[in-house]
Amino acid sequence: MKRYLMTPGPTPVPEKIALAMAAPIIHHRTKEYIDLHEKVREKLKKIFQTQNDIVIFASSGTGAMEASVSNILSENDKALVVEAGKFGERFSQLVSSFGAQAIILKKEYGDFANAQEIEDYVKKYSPKAVYMQACETSTGVFHPIDEIGKMLKEKYPEVVFVVDGITAVGCIDIKTDEWGIDILLTGSQKAFMLPPGLAMLSISEKAKKIAAQNKNKRYYFDILGELNAQTGHFTPAVTLVLGLNAAVDMMLEEGLGNVFKRHEFLAKAVKAAILAMDLELFAKRPSNSLTAVKAPQSIDSKQIIDIMNKFGVSISNGQGSMKGKIFRIAHLGYFYPPDVILTIGTLEIALKKLGIDKLGVGTKKALEIFVEY
Ligand SMILES: *Cc1c(COP(=O)(O)O)cnc(C)c1O
């Protein structure tokens, strides 16, 4: 069966990238690999929109989240964590796991944190660092990272600003240096159009100084250690780095601005289609990387997902307490208008089978929007 992956990670892998990864394996201590690794790290700076150094880990994205905690926080340090969904909760767990104190700014699922709230918490608790997502993938919310970053940079320049950009870097405009993001992290299987297995992060000079003094336990995820070793201390994921090189070239060829615009367009069409079908968006500030939708009353979102799966189209359920209540359509990475059209069309079939007739309503809206693409 032909499969369509409309999930917020893993996302579809373009043929060009798959072919780059089909190359014979080379040894990581050869000049060929060392040059490749260095070149990829340099090009990544453009995607991350930063002058800061980039580290690549062989791990899933959470490895970079862990590194951002263990390298910055010592035991008993205070860290402000924005918890607006499952991935915010993961940061709190990481902070506690490393013996630091998580001060939690809790938002309801579907809601976002604003700069004023962050400022109030920072003023009150004086945390060493602020940890948050750019896009909280579990709810489809995009936090106003620009306003938060600028506020911290201007008023609290000593605070380390850590942003999990796993569903933002490479699809949404994140101005790392301009907004004062000290650590921006991501993973390979979302906007980077790669299989799972790589984590990447950028680290500012300020954060590097703090990491150098930080005594917390760490071994594999030692950011400075990795920066000082040419291709890292350990065997790098050579094949995935070959793919990463191809992915970064694809993004730079399209032009970063065009990549962002394409995602904006896709998100606009999905949102308009959903609203046209009288469905409700779940996120109060929806991201351009995925759209979370409330399941119609009396329907479990799993029913919709199961029917769509029979047509080969995979979308995601809600996570945790949102399971069954929402479904999430991803549109980040290797996605173009026809992908959205077939997803909305298949959603309409599923709804029809469940007694809600919106055949052609959402697709028509999406088609109208794509005429302008
Ligand atoms: C997918 C995701 C993660 C987790 O990444 P893994 O690669 O599964 O470790 C963390 N944060 C966000 C925002 C994500 O979307």
Side-chain angles (χ1 to χ4, degrees), residues 8 60-62 65 87 90 133 135 137 164 166-167 189-190:
S60 86
T62 304
M65 292 175 79
F87 294 109
R90 186 169 299 177
Q133 276 59 43
C135 167
T137 316
D164 166 359
I166 296 188
T167 43
Q189 79 277 26
K190 313 249 170 141

Side-chain angles (χ1 to χ4, degrees), residues 28 46 69 78 110 117 182 185 217 219 292 294 349:
H28 57 285
K46 292 192 184 134
V69 170
K78 278 183 289 186
E117 291 171 302
D182 293 294
L185 60 96
K217 291 190 184 75
Y219 186 79
K294 290 187 194 171
I349 296 172

Side-chain angles (χ1 to χ4, degrees), residues 70-71 211-212 214-224:
S70 64
N71 286 263
N214 183 46
K215 297 278 185 291
N216 217 328
K217 291 190 184 75
R218 56 194 191 260
Y219 186 79
Y220 187 79
F221 293 110
D222 181 17
I223 298 176
L224 298 182

Side-chain angles (χ1 to χ4, degrees), residues 19 21 36 40 82 84 154 160 166-167 169 201 204 219 221-222 252 293 331 353:
L19 285 171
M21 292 188 298
L36 169 79
V40 173
V82 174
E154 192 192 315
V160 181
I166 296 188
T167 43
V169 181
L201 62 78
S204 68
Y219 186 79
F221 293 110
D222 181 17
L252 295 177
V293 184
H331 30 81
K353 283 179 183 284

Side-chain angles (χ1 to χ4, degrees), residues 235-338:
T235 311
V238 172
T239 303
L240 287 169
V241 174
L242 279 169
L244 180 58
N245 185 45
V248 168
D249 282 348
M250 273 180 76
M251 290 172 171
L252 295 177
E253 255 166 50
E254 183 176 354
L256 213 44
N258 294 331
V259 172
F260 300 151
K261 261 186 237 150
R262 174 164 53 84
H263 284 87
E264 219 175 282
F265 235 102
L266 299 175
K268 188 177 159 191
V270 173
K271 277 185 281 186
I274 292 300
L275 295 175
M277 294 159 82
D278 293 323
L279 295 175
E280 253 184 277
L281 300 175
F282 182 63
K284 291 197 176 137
R285 197 171 185 277
S287 174
N288 285 343
S289 48
L290 78 152
T291 302
V293 184
K294 290 187 194 171
Q297 280 223 316
S298 79
I299 291 180
D300 188 306
S301 57
K302 187 170 183 300
Q303 294 175 277
I304 299 171
I305 292 162
D306 285 348
I307 296 173
M308 290 180 72
N309 257 325
K310 288 195 183 132
F311 284 81
V313 179
S314 298
I315 60 165
S316 295
N317 204 325
Q319 290 163 290
S321 58
M322 291 301 105
K323 207 170 181 133
K325 299 199 174 82
I326 64 170
F327 57 88
R328 295 173 299 146
I329 300 170
H331 30 81
L332 76 163
Y334 193 44
F335 281 91
Y336 293 85

Side-chain angles (χ1 to χ4, degrees), residues 32-191:
E32 192 183 352
Y33 183 76
I34 293 167
D35 287 350
L36 169 79
H37 198 92
E38 206 37 53
K39 196 171 70 183
V40 173
R41 274 175 35 175
E42 271 314 300
K43 285 190 278 195
L44 277 173
K45 289 184 182 176
K46 292 192 184 134
I47 311 283
F48 276 65
Q49 304 192 64
T50 187
Q51 305 288 325
N52 295 336
D53 282 327
I54 308 260
V55 183
I56 305 168
F57 290 113
S59 76
S60 86
T62 304
M65 292 175 79
E66 174 163 331
S68 76
V69 170
S70 64
N71 286 263
I72 297 299
L73 301 179
S74 296
E75 276 185 45
N76 303 318
D77 278 345
K78 278 183 289 186
L80 175 59
V81 180
V82 174
E83 257 190 22
K86 188 172 171 275
F87 294 109
E89 288 158 18
R90 186 169 299 177
F91 260 146
S92 305
Q93 289 163 4
L94 276 164
V95 167
S96 308
S97 300
F98 284 91
Q101 189 191 342
I103 314 270
I104 294 167
L105 169 51
K106 186 108 187 149
K107 303 301 296 184
E108 285 214 349
Y109 276 31
D111 203 358
F112 60 94
N114 65 48
Q116 187 59 55
E117 291 171 302
I118 305 265
E119 184 172 354
D120 293 345
Y121 269 69
V122 170
K123 208 184 276 173
K124 187 164 172 200
Y125 296 102
S126 308
K128 185 179 188 182
V130 172
Y131 289 84
M132 67 186 297
Q133 276 59 43
C135 167
E136 172 51 74
T137 316
S138 64
T139 66
V141 157
F142 193 76
H143 294 291
I145 292 297
D146 51 343
E147 289 163 28
I148 294 165
K150 284 181 205 157
M151 178 278 293
L152 289 172
K153 190 178 171 185
E154 192 192 315
K155 297 185 178 165
Y156 303 93
E158 71 288 358
V159 174
V160 181
F161 187 31
V162 179
V163 176
D164 166 359
I166 296 188
T167 43
V169 181
C171 61
I172 297 171
D173 193 10
I174 305 283
K175 298 193 193 307
T176 306
D177 294 351
E178 204 177 309
W179 302 346
I181 301 173
D182 293 294
I183 295 183
L184 178 65
L185 60 96
T186 191
S188 55
Q189 79 277 26
K190 313 249 170 141

